[in-house]
Amino acid sequence: MSEKLQGAFIALGTFDGLHTGHKAVITAEKTEYSKKLALMFSEHPQLSLTGKHPGILTMPQKEKELLSSWGVQAEYIDFPSVAQLSPEQFVDEILVGRYGASSIACGFNYRFGKGATGDVQLLRLLCAEREIKLTVVAEVDYLGEPVSSTRIRSAITQGDMQNANAMLGRFFSYDFEVKHGDERGRILGSPTINQFFVKDFCVPAFGVYASVTKIDGVEYPSVTNIGVRPTIEGTSEKRSETNIIGFQGDLYGKHPEVFVVEKIRGELKFNSLDELSEQIAKDREQALNILRKVQGYGI
């Protein structure tokens, strides 16, 4: 194995989804450096700029796992701490001064510095003057348009998981803590785990989905209902209810990871619990048919 080069490789971008376009930037440098970092924001820049988060796409544990599998570690910075720096200050004070950058990668449309005044052309000039290697990664397209977190959020909120997952390069997932519900599923013969969406999370369109649930490294086929349960009166909190096929055990307080594969149907209100129970059985069979076509689930 060749000796690692001194200095740091730094991948630059918002990296708020770790999708296929982000992966192309983060994995652009094949040479080994003493440090390989993905510069991440501790909070989304839009929170500072507009006061509103566009929607969380990747849970912290998944983010950590993905970056590790791509051979880099996350380096978190606060957006407000760098938002007022000029492009030159950002390169000199942050990239060189703080992290010792020797190699940098960014996307074709990368912007930086106060008011996003810095672009790729300026970054090329600044890197050349400081003898820093720069790799500019071409756009990654899907269905003829650049992959973006905005497109992925739009697909998820419309329940279009097939296109969202294709752009992510993996199944969209979450691992919220399992909490107690009213145990109505047990009465219906289909016990479920209840997970409640955290603030600012990108919630899929309400409905029923074929899913896969990972528990202690083992993957189980499952059916997930996302919504507010219109058949059960008095519920308004957005939740994920997952019936895990072939699993028995207590998951309260644990964080199983639910992978949302494909939408089966929209959220419906049934006239009785018997009707709901019959539909649940149909949903389970349809979910299994969908998952049988997904070789090894692709997780």
PDB file of all heavy atoms in Angstrom, residues 161-186:
ATOM      1  N   MET A 161     -41.485   6.906  -4.456  1.00  0.00           N
ATOM      2  CA  MET A 161     -40.268   6.385  -3.828  1.00  0.00           C
ATOM      3  C   MET A 161     -39.317   5.754  -4.840  1.00  0.00           C
ATOM      4  O   MET A 161     -38.106   5.735  -4.610  1.00  0.00           O
ATOM      5  CB  MET A 161     -40.633   5.368  -2.746  1.00  0.00           C
ATOM      6  CG  MET A 161     -41.509   5.934  -1.636  1.00  0.00           C
ATOM      7  SD  MET A 161     -40.913   7.510  -0.938  1.00  0.00           S
ATOM      8  CE  MET A 161     -39.283   7.049  -0.369  1.00  0.00           C
ATOM      9  N   GLN A 162     -39.821   5.245  -5.931  1.00  0.00           N
ATOM     10  CA  GLN A 162     -38.930   4.613  -6.906  1.00  0.00           C
ATOM     11  C   GLN A 162     -37.951   5.635  -7.487  1.00  0.00           C
ATOM     12  O   GLN A 162     -36.747   5.367  -7.580  1.00  0.00           O
ATOM     13  CB  GLN A 162     -39.748   3.938  -8.008  1.00  0.00           C
ATOM     14  CG  GLN A 162     -40.478   2.694  -7.515  1.00  0.00           C
ATOM     15  CD  GLN A 162     -41.540   2.226  -8.487  1.00  0.00           C
ATOM     16  OE1 GLN A 162     -42.512   2.932  -8.750  1.00  0.00           O
ATOM     17  NE2 GLN A 162     -41.366   1.030  -9.015  1.00  0.00           N
ATOM     18  N   ASN A 163     -38.443   6.803  -7.866  1.00  0.00           N
ATOM     19  CA  ASN A 163     -37.545   7.830  -8.394  1.00  0.00           C
ATOM     20  C   ASN A 163     -36.690   8.450  -7.293  1.00  0.00           C
ATOM     21  O   ASN A 163     -35.517   8.751  -7.513  1.00  0.00           O
ATOM     22  CB  ASN A 163     -38.346   8.911  -9.122  1.00  0.00           C
ATOM     23  CG  ASN A 163     -38.790   8.464 -10.501  1.00  0.00           C
ATOM     24  OD1 ASN A 163     -38.083   7.726 -11.195  1.00  0.00           O
ATOM     25  ND2 ASN A 163     -39.965   8.878 -10.919  1.00  0.00           N
ATOM     26  N   ALA A 164     -37.280   8.649  -6.107  1.00  0.00           N
ATOM     27  CA  ALA A 164     -36.499   9.195  -4.991  1.00  0.00           C
ATOM     28  C   ALA A 164     -35.351   8.260  -4.643  1.00  0.00           C
ATOM     29  O   ALA A 164     -34.202   8.708  -4.469  1.00  0.00           O
ATOM     30  CB  ALA A 164     -37.407   9.394  -3.771  1.00  0.00           C
ATOM     31  N   ASN A 165     -35.632   6.975  -4.556  1.00  0.00           N
ATOM     32  CA  ASN A 165     -34.596   6.007  -4.209  1.00  0.00           C
ATOM     33  C   ASN A 165     -33.527   5.900  -5.291  1.00  0.00           C
ATOM     34  O   ASN A 165     -32.340   5.709  -4.998  1.00  0.00           O
ATOM     35  CB  ASN A 165     -35.224   4.637  -3.949  1.00  0.00           C
ATOM     36  CG  ASN A 165     -36.078   4.621  -2.687  1.00  0.00           C
ATOM     37  OD1 ASN A 165     -35.853   5.399  -1.765  1.00  0.00           O
ATOM     38  ND2 ASN A 165     -37.065   3.744  -2.649  1.00  0.00           N
ATOM     39  N   ALA A 166     -33.932   6.024  -6.548  1.00  0.00           N
ATOM     40  CA  ALA A 166     -32.967   5.977  -7.646  1.00  0.00           C
ATOM     41  C   ALA A 166     -31.986   7.146  -7.543  1.00  0.00           C
ATOM     42  O   ALA A 166     -30.782   6.979  -7.761  1.00  0.00           O
ATOM     43  CB  ALA A 166     -33.688   6.004  -8.987  1.00  0.00           C
ATOM     44  N   MET A 167     -32.488   8.323  -7.210  1.00  0.00           N
ATOM     45  CA  MET A 167     -31.608   9.490  -7.085  1.00  0.00           C
ATOM     46  C   MET A 167     -30.758   9.427  -5.828  1.00  0.00           C
ATOM     47  O   MET A 167     -29.601   9.875  -5.818  1.00  0.00           O
ATOM     48  CB  MET A 167     -32.438  10.778  -7.117  1.00  0.00           C
ATOM     49  CG  MET A 167     -33.005  11.098  -8.493  1.00  0.00           C
ATOM     50  SD  MET A 167     -33.844  12.709  -8.590  1.00  0.00           S
ATOM     51  CE  MET A 167     -35.433  12.303  -7.844  1.00  0.00           C
ATOM     52  N   LEU A 168     -31.304   8.857  -4.762  1.00  0.00           N
ATOM     53  CA  LEU A 168     -30.515   8.687  -3.536  1.00  0.00           C
ATOM     54  C   LEU A 168     -29.420   7.639  -3.725  1.00  0.00           C
ATOM     55  O   LEU A 168     -28.365   7.716  -3.096  1.00  0.00           O
ATOM     56  CB  LEU A 168     -31.421   8.260  -2.380  1.00  0.00           C
ATOM     57  CG  LEU A 168     -32.233   9.351  -1.692  1.00  0.00           C
ATOM     58  CD1 LEU A 168     -33.270   8.729  -0.761  1.00  0.00           C
ATOM     59  CD2 LEU A 168     -31.325  10.307  -0.917  1.00  0.00           C
ATOM     60  N   GLY A 169     -29.695   6.654  -4.560  1.00  0.00           N
ATOM     61  CA  GLY A 169     -28.751   5.546  -4.716  1.00  0.00           C
ATOM     62  C   GLY A 169     -28.918   4.504  -3.631  1.00  0.00           C
ATOM     63  O   GLY A 169     -28.077   3.620  -3.454  1.00  0.00           O
ATOM     64  N   ARG A 170     -30.033   4.565  -2.920  1.00  0.00           N
ATOM     65  CA  ARG A 170     -30.344   3.638  -1.828  1.00  0.00           C
ATOM     66  C   ARG A 170     -31.814   3.850  -1.473  1.00  0.00           C
ATOM     67  O   ARG A 170     -32.436   4.792  -1.951  1.00  0.00           O
ATOM     68  CB  ARG A 170     -29.472   3.921  -0.603  1.00  0.00           C
ATOM     69  CG  ARG A 170     -29.729   5.289  -0.004  1.00  0.00           C
ATOM     70  CD  ARG A 170     -28.822   5.598   1.181  1.00  0.00           C
ATOM     71  NE  ARG A 170     -29.216   6.831   1.841  1.00  0.00           N
ATOM     72  CZ  ARG A 170     -28.931   8.055   1.427  1.00  0.00           C
ATOM     73  NH1 ARG A 170     -28.227   8.205   0.310  1.00  0.00           N
ATOM     74  NH2 ARG A 170     -29.340   9.116   2.076  1.00  0.00           N
ATOM     75  N   PHE A 171     -32.336   3.005  -0.600  1.00  0.00           N
ATOM     76  CA  PHE A 171     -33.702   3.219  -0.134  1.00  0.00           C
ATOM     77  C   PHE A 171     -33.729   4.313   0.936  1.00  0.00           C
ATOM     78  O   PHE A 171     -32.910   4.320   1.857  1.00  0.00           O
ATOM     79  CB  PHE A 171     -34.287   1.936   0.458  1.00  0.00           C
ATOM     80  CG  PHE A 171     -34.560   0.860  -0.559  1.00  0.00           C
ATOM     81  CD1 PHE A 171     -34.274  -0.465  -0.291  1.00  0.00           C
ATOM     82  CD2 PHE A 171     -35.105   1.175  -1.794  1.00  0.00           C
ATOM     83  CE1 PHE A 171     -34.526  -1.455  -1.215  1.00  0.00           C
ATOM     84  CE2 PHE A 171     -35.362   0.195  -2.728  1.00  0.00           C
ATOM     85  CZ  PHE A 171     -35.070  -1.128  -2.442  1.00  0.00           C
ATOM     86  N   PHE A 172     -34.660   5.228   0.796  1.00  0.00           N
ATOM     87  CA  PHE A 172     -34.910   6.247   1.808  1.00  0.00           C
ATOM     88  C   PHE A 172     -35.270   5.546   3.118  1.00  0.00           C
ATOM     89  O   PHE A 172     -36.038   4.588   3.129  1.00  0.00           O
ATOM     90  CB  PHE A 172     -36.073   7.125   1.340  1.00  0.00           C
ATOM     91  CG  PHE A 172     -36.521   8.174   2.312  1.00  0.00           C
ATOM     92  CD1 PHE A 172     -35.753   9.305   2.537  1.00  0.00           C
ATOM     93  CD2 PHE A 172     -37.730   8.032   2.988  1.00  0.00           C
ATOM     94  CE1 PHE A 172     -36.177  10.293   3.421  1.00  0.00           C
ATOM     95  CE2 PHE A 172     -38.171   9.015   3.864  1.00  0.00           C
ATOM     96  CZ  PHE A 172     -37.383  10.137   4.082  1.00  0.00           C
ATOM     97  N   SER A 173     -34.694   6.016   4.234  1.00  0.00           N
ATOM     98  CA  SER A 173     -34.925   5.303   5.491  1.00  0.00           C
ATOM     99  C   SER A 173     -34.907   6.245   6.686  1.00  0.00           C
ATOM    100  O   SER A 173     -34.489   7.396   6.596  1.00  0.00           O
ATOM    101  CB  SER A 173     -33.856   4.216   5.681  1.00  0.00           C
ATOM    102  OG  SER A 173     -32.574   4.793   5.897  1.00  0.00           O
ATOM    103  N   TYR A 174     -35.363   5.716   7.809  1.00  0.00           N
ATOM    104  CA  TYR A 174     -35.324   6.438   9.081  1.00  0.00           C
ATOM    105  C   TYR A 174     -35.254   5.413  10.212  1.00  0.00           C
ATOM    106  O   TYR A 174     -35.647   4.254  10.048  1.00  0.00           O
ATOM    107  CB  TYR A 174     -36.542   7.355   9.253  1.00  0.00           C
ATOM    108  CG  TYR A 174     -37.858   6.730   8.877  1.00  0.00           C
ATOM    109  CD1 TYR A 174     -38.566   5.926   9.769  1.00  0.00           C
ATOM    110  CD2 TYR A 174     -38.408   6.933   7.609  1.00  0.00           C
ATOM    111  CE1 TYR A 174     -39.769   5.347   9.420  1.00  0.00           C
ATOM    112  CE2 TYR A 174     -39.622   6.351   7.250  1.00  0.00           C
ATOM    113  CZ  TYR A 174     -40.294   5.562   8.163  1.00  0.00           C
ATOM    114  OH  TYR A 174     -41.483   4.983   7.812  1.00  0.00           O
ATOM    115  N   ASP A 175     -34.745   5.858  11.364  1.00  0.00           N
ATOM    116  CA  ASP A 175     -34.587   4.940  12.501  1.00  0.00           C
ATOM    117  C   ASP A 175     -35.035   5.591  13.814  1.00  0.00           C
ATOM    118  O   ASP A 175     -34.339   5.527  14.821  1.00  0.00           O
ATOM    119  CB  ASP A 175     -33.134   4.460  12.612  1.00  0.00           C
ATOM    120  CG  ASP A 175     -32.146   5.595  12.860  1.00  0.00           C
ATOM    121  OD1 ASP A 175     -32.561   6.778  12.811  1.00  0.00           O
ATOM    122  OD2 ASP A 175     -30.961   5.305  13.119  1.00  0.00           O
ATOM    123  N   PHE A 176     -36.208   6.184  13.784  1.00  0.00           N
ATOM    124  CA  PHE A 176     -36.737   6.825  14.991  1.00  0.00           C
ATOM    125  C   PHE A 176     -36.994   5.779  16.084  1.00  0.00           C
ATOM    126  O   PHE A 176     -37.235   4.601  15.802  1.00  0.00           O
ATOM    127  CB  PHE A 176     -38.044   7.560  14.673  1.00  0.00           C
ATOM    128  CG  PHE A 176     -37.922   8.575  13.576  1.00  0.00           C
ATOM    129  CD1 PHE A 176     -38.637   8.438  12.394  1.00  0.00           C
ATOM    130  CD2 PHE A 176     -37.080   9.658  13.715  1.00  0.00           C
ATOM    131  CE1 PHE A 176     -38.521   9.361  11.378  1.00  0.00           C
ATOM    132  CE2 PHE A 176     -36.957  10.599  12.694  1.00  0.00           C
ATOM    133  CZ  PHE A 176     -37.674  10.449  11.529  1.00  0.00           C
ATOM    134  N   GLU A 177     -36.968   6.253  17.310  1.00  0.00           N
ATOM    135  CA  GLU A 177     -37.229   5.374  18.450  1.00  0.00           C
ATOM    136  C   GLU A 177     -38.653   4.804  18.379  1.00  0.00           C
ATOM    137  O   GLU A 177     -39.596   5.507  18.028  1.00  0.00           O
ATOM    138  CB  GLU A 177     -37.060   6.153  19.753  1.00  0.00           C
ATOM    139  CG  GLU A 177     -37.322   5.325  21.008  1.00  0.00           C
ATOM    140  CD  GLU A 177     -37.197   6.136  22.287  1.00  0.00           C
ATOM    141  OE1 GLU A 177     -36.778   7.314  22.212  1.00  0.00           O
ATOM    142  OE2 GLU A 177     -37.526   5.588  23.362  1.00  0.00           O
ATOM    143  N   VAL A 178     -38.781   3.528  18.714  1.00  0.00           N
ATOM    144  CA  VAL A 178     -40.093   2.892  18.752  1.00  0.00           C
ATOM    145  C   VAL A 178     -40.786   3.270  20.059  1.00  0.00           C
ATOM    146  O   VAL A 178     -40.232   3.107  21.148  1.00  0.00           O
ATOM    147  CB  VAL A 178     -39.973   1.358  18.651  1.00  0.00           C
ATOM    148  CG1 VAL A 178     -41.341   0.696  18.827  1.00  0.00           C
ATOM    149  CG2 VAL A 178     -39.365   0.967  17.312  1.00  0.00           C
ATOM    150  N   LYS A 179     -42.012   3.788  19.923  1.00  0.00           N
ATOM    151  CA  LYS A 179     -42.765   4.228  21.104  1.00  0.00           C
ATOM    152  C   LYS A 179     -44.101   3.499  21.190  1.00  0.00           C
ATOM    153  O   LYS A 179     -44.582   2.920  20.224  1.00  0.00           O
ATOM    154  CB  LYS A 179     -42.974   5.746  21.048  1.00  0.00           C
ATOM    155  CG  LYS A 179     -41.661   6.516  21.084  1.00  0.00           C
ATOM    156  CD  LYS A 179     -41.873   8.001  21.265  1.00  0.00           C
ATOM    157  CE  LYS A 179     -40.541   8.720  21.393  1.00  0.00           C
ATOM    158  NZ  LYS A 179     -40.712  10.180  21.594  1.00  0.00           N
ATOM    159  N   HIS A 180     -44.691   3.550  22.367  1.00  0.00           N
ATOM    160  CA  HIS A 180     -45.967   2.872  22.584  1.00  0.00           C
ATOM    161  C   HIS A 180     -47.089   3.589  21.847  1.00  0.00           C
ATOM    162  O   HIS A 180     -47.152   4.820  21.819  1.00  0.00           O
ATOM    163  CB  HIS A 180     -46.296   2.820  24.083  1.00  0.00           C
ATOM    164  CG  HIS A 180     -45.476   1.824  24.835  1.00  0.00           C
ATOM    165  ND1 HIS A 180     -45.815   0.487  24.934  1.00  0.00           N
ATOM    166  CD2 HIS A 180     -44.306   1.976  25.515  1.00  0.00           C
ATOM    167  CE1 HIS A 180     -44.897  -0.142  25.653  1.00  0.00           C
ATOM    168  NE2 HIS A 180     -43.974   0.730  26.013  1.00  0.00           N
ATOM    169  N   GLY A 181     -47.969   2.806  21.234  1.00  0.00           N
ATOM    170  CA  GLY A 181     -49.177   3.350  20.645  1.00  0.00           C
ATOM    171  C   GLY A 181     -50.371   2.832  21.429  1.00  0.00           C
ATOM    172  O   GLY A 181     -50.248   2.504  22.609  1.00  0.00           O
ATOM    173  N   ASP A 182     -51.510   2.701  20.772  1.00  0.00           N
ATOM    174  CA  ASP A 182     -52.688   2.173  21.462  1.00  0.00           C
ATOM    175  C   ASP A 182     -52.830   0.668  21.293  1.00  0.00           C
ATOM    176  O   ASP A 182     -53.814   0.066  21.736  1.00  0.00           O
ATOM    177  CB  ASP A 182     -53.965   2.869  20.974  1.00  0.00           C
ATOM    178  CG  ASP A 182     -54.133   2.790  19.460  1.00  0.00           C
ATOM    179  OD1 ASP A 182     -53.507   1.902  18.841  1.00  0.00           O
ATOM    180  OD2 ASP A 182     -54.871   3.619  18.901  1.00  0.00           O
ATOM    181  N   GLU A 183     -51.829   0.045  20.625  1.00  0.00           N
ATOM    182  CA  GLU A 183     -51.783  -1.401  20.410  1.00  0.00           C
ATOM    183  C   GLU A 183     -53.020  -1.904  19.658  1.00  0.00           C
ATOM    184  O   GLU A 183     -53.449  -3.040  19.799  1.00  0.00           O
ATOM    185  CB  GLU A 183     -51.593  -2.153  21.728  1.00  0.00           C
ATOM    186  CG  GLU A 183     -50.294  -1.758  22.422  1.00  0.00           C
ATOM    187  CD  GLU A 183     -49.920  -2.680  23.565  1.00  0.00           C
ATOM    188  OE1 GLU A 183     -50.727  -3.552  23.919  1.00  0.00           O
ATOM    189  OE2 GLU A 183     -48.810  -2.511  24.101  1.00  0.00           O
ATOM    190  N   ARG A 184     -53.581  -1.040  18.823  1.00  0.00           N
ATOM    191  CA  ARG A 184     -54.734  -1.415  18.009  1.00  0.00           C
ATOM    192  C   ARG A 184     -54.351  -2.519  17.023  1.00  0.00           C
ATOM    193  O   ARG A 184     -55.159  -3.385  16.709  1.00  0.00           O
ATOM    194  CB  ARG A 184     -55.248  -0.190  17.249  1.00  0.00           C
ATOM    195  CG  ARG A 184     -56.507  -0.404  16.467  1.00  0.00           C
ATOM    196  CD  ARG A 184     -57.755  -0.261  17.296  1.00  0.00           C
ATOM    197  NE  ARG A 184     -57.848   1.041  17.929  1.00  0.00           N
ATOM    198  CZ  ARG A 184     -58.965   1.499  18.482  1.00  0.00           C
ATOM    199  NH1 ARG A 184     -60.062   0.769  18.460  1.00  0.00           N
ATOM    200  NH2 ARG A 184     -58.993   2.686  19.064  1.00  0.00           N
ATOM    201  N   GLY A 185     -53.078  -2.486  16.569  1.00  0.00           N
ATOM    202  CA  GLY A 185     -52.633  -3.496  15.615  1.00  0.00           C
ATOM    203  C   GLY A 185     -52.704  -4.901  16.172  1.00  0.00           C
ATOM    204  O   GLY A 185     -52.978  -5.859  15.450  1.00  0.00           O
ATOM    205  N   ARG A 186     -52.456  -5.051  17.447  1.00  0.00           N
ATOM    206  CA  ARG A 186     -52.530  -6.377  18.057  1.00  0.00           C
ATOM    207  C   ARG A 186     -53.963  -6.903  18.025  1.00  0.00           C
ATOM    208  O   ARG A 186     -54.208  -8.091  17.811  1.00  0.00           O
ATOM    209  CB  ARG A 186     -52.017  -6.323  19.502  1.00  0.00           C
ATOM    210  CG  ARG A 186     -50.539  -5.993  19.598  1.00  0.00           C
ATOM    211  CD  ARG A 186     -50.023  -6.098  21.016  1.00  0.00           C
ATOM    212  NE  ARG A 186     -48.635  -5.652  21.089  1.00  0.00           N
ATOM    213  CZ  ARG A 186     -47.589  -6.403  20.743  1.00  0.00           C
ATOM    214  NH1 ARG A 186     -47.785  -7.623  20.298  1.00  0.00           N
ATOM    215  NH2 ARG A 186     -46.368  -5.928  20.851  1.00  0.00           N
TER     216      ARG A 186
END
